[in-house]
């Protein structure tokens, strides 16, 4: 009687310890649980780029894109040097980070670096593309489907509960914290809060900026 009751206690302790360990493991492992329906990619328009192309590489319909770009007056002729907001769903990928994987068909002579810098306008990096594809970076086949992952944000309630929609914003050379918030009504503290450790002096890198909906 006594012995059996002791055994039960030990078993119970083991079970509890195991559960606590498992629970801790799950919390440490899962860096995100869910994403959000909407994020925006800030796409810097290079000379010769058009909405048909942007629509293709982000697999998003042109009228849907235009809803987030009231500043575009002539959709058939978008201005180089401006930015187009492209809506996409922000997902929790591998329980690890927030992002979205687009399918891109490689063109002749494409490299991961070219795809990141030119096709996707620095919304991702060659390293980040390399991480989600089986092909060796020196042997990317032409006219094949590859994965292109773009990071995103759904906000951070520890910084502010007021924002749920975010732009994934590649900093251009010449842009800095001041020019970023200029006229946006967003404080520099808020930008820094949502982008801890971001190095503005580098003149490059990917920021998450609070945005307004359509
Ligand atoms: C749009 O851009 C793509 C890629 O740069 C190009 O191949 C295509 O001819 C352009 N379409 C128009 C209508 O300009
Ligand atoms: C991406 O960044 C590189 C330099 O880091 C720059 O040469 C290139 O023009 C940028 N692409 C776009 C679309 O701004
Ligand atoms: C995307 O997010 C992951 C996790 O935070 C980070 O390691 C990676 O460098 C980011 N990729 C880019 C292109 O910023
Ligand atoms: C793209 O990602 C999917 C899902 O992770 C994977 O099965 C597929 O092999 C990847 N494509 C390439 C070309 O690596
Ligand atoms: C802020 O915007 C105003 C008006 O658009 C401009 O004159 C000024 O140079 C900008 N300041 C910075 C730091 O970019
Ligand atoms: C920020 O970027 C600048 C320019 O690339 C570099 O000189 C500096 O060391 C960087 N600072 C940090 C803290 O990484």
């Amino acid at each position: 009687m006594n012995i059996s009751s002791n055994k039960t206690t030990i078993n119970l302790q083991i079970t509890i310890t195991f559960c606590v360990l498992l629970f801790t493991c799950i919390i440490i492992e899962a860096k995100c649980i869910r994403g959000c329906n909407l994020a925006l990619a800030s796409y810097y328009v290079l000379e010769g780029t058009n909405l048909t192309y942007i629509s293709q590489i982000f697999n998003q319909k042109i009228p849907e894109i235009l809803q987030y770009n009231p500043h575009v007056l002539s959709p058939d002729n978008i201005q180089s040097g401006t930015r187009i907001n492209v809506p996409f769903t922000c997902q929790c990928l591998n329980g690890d980070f927030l992002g979205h994987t687009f399918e891109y068909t490689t063109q002749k002579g494409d490299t991961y670096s070219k795809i990141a810098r030119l096709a996707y306008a620095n919304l991702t990096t060659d390293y980040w593309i390399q991480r989600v594809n089986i092909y060796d970076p020196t042997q990317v086949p032409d006219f094949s489907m590859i994965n292109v992952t773009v990071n995103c944000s759904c906000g951070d309630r520890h910084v502010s509960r007021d924002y749920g929609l975010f732009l994934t914003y590649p900093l251009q050379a010449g842009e800095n914290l001041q020019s970023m918030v200029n006229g946006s009504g967003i404080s520099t503290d808020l930008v820094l809060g949502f982008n801890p450790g971001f190095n503005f002096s580098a003149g490059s890198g990917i920021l998450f900026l609070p945005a307004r909906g359509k």
Side-chain angles (χ1 to χ4, degrees):
M1 168 74 183
N2 233 344
I3 290 172
S4 132
S5 137
N6 259 351
K7 249 190 190 160
T8 316
T9 315
I10 289 172
N11 271 343
L12 197 68
Q13 276 176 350
I14 291 174
T15 311
I16 290 174
T17 311
F18 183 70
C19 285
V20 168
L21 277 178
L22 193 70
F23 193 58
T24 315
C25 290
I26 288 172
I27 288 181
I28 291 170
E29 269 299 306
K31 294 188 181 127
C32 56
I33 295 166
R34 66 183 77 84
C36 43
N37 283 336
L38 182 65
L40 298 171
S42 179
Y43 188 91
Y44 186 86
V45 179
L46 290 178
E47 191 79 51
T49 306
N50 54 53
L51 273 178
T52 309
Y53 180 68
I54 297 174
S55 155
Q56 253 171 32
I57 64 167
F58 290 100
N59 190 27
Q60 187 62 272
K61 296 189 181 73
I62 292 177
E64 186 64 25
I65 296 174
L66 284 172
Q67 290 193 335
Y68 295 91
N69 296 277
H71 64 281
V72 171
L73 302 176
S74 50
D76 292 337
N77 183 20
I78 52 174
Q79 293 290 306
S80 60
T82 63
R83 286 173 183 264
I84 298 287
N85 297 328
V86 185
F88 65 99
T89 55
C90 182
Q91 296 158 331
C92 173
L93 299 177
N94 306 321
D96 194 28
F97 67 95
L98 293 173
H100 187 104
T101 299
F102 298 96
E103 282 181 339
Y104 171 83
T105 307
T106 57
Q107 304 300 297
K108 197 159 178 52
D110 262 350
T111 60
Y112 289 154
S113 161
K114 224 169 129 183
I115 295 164
R117 284 185 296 110
L118 302 176
Y120 285 89
N122 294 317
L123 283 157
T124 187
T125 58
D126 55 351
Y127 171 73
W128 207 230
I129 296 180
Q130 225 184 95
R131 287 279 303 266
V132 291
N133 288 285
I134 49 172
Y135 303 125
D136 185 283
T138 58
Q139 285 165 1
V140 182
D142 294 337
F143 312 115
S144 306
M145 203 82 101
I146 66 156
N147 299 311
V148 175
T149 301
V150 171
N151 286 0
C152 48
S153 170
C154 297
D156 181 348
R157 64 189 172 86
H158 299 297
V159 177
S160 166
R161 288 173 184 273
D162 297 341
Y163 301 93
L165 177 62
F166 285 79
L167 270 172
T168 299
Y169 189 103
L171 202 68
Q172 285 284 127
E175 287 180 329
N176 54 44
L177 185 55
Q178 245 56 51
S179 67
M180 199 85 332
V181 297
N182 199 4
S184 71
I186 299 163
S187 70
T188 53
D189 281 351
L190 206 54
V191 174
L192 292 171
F194 283 123
N195 299 279
F198 191 87
N199 184 357
F200 279 92
S201 341
S204 65
I206 299 164
L207 278 168
F208 299 114
L209 299 178
R212 281 186 218 94
K214 46 187 167 183

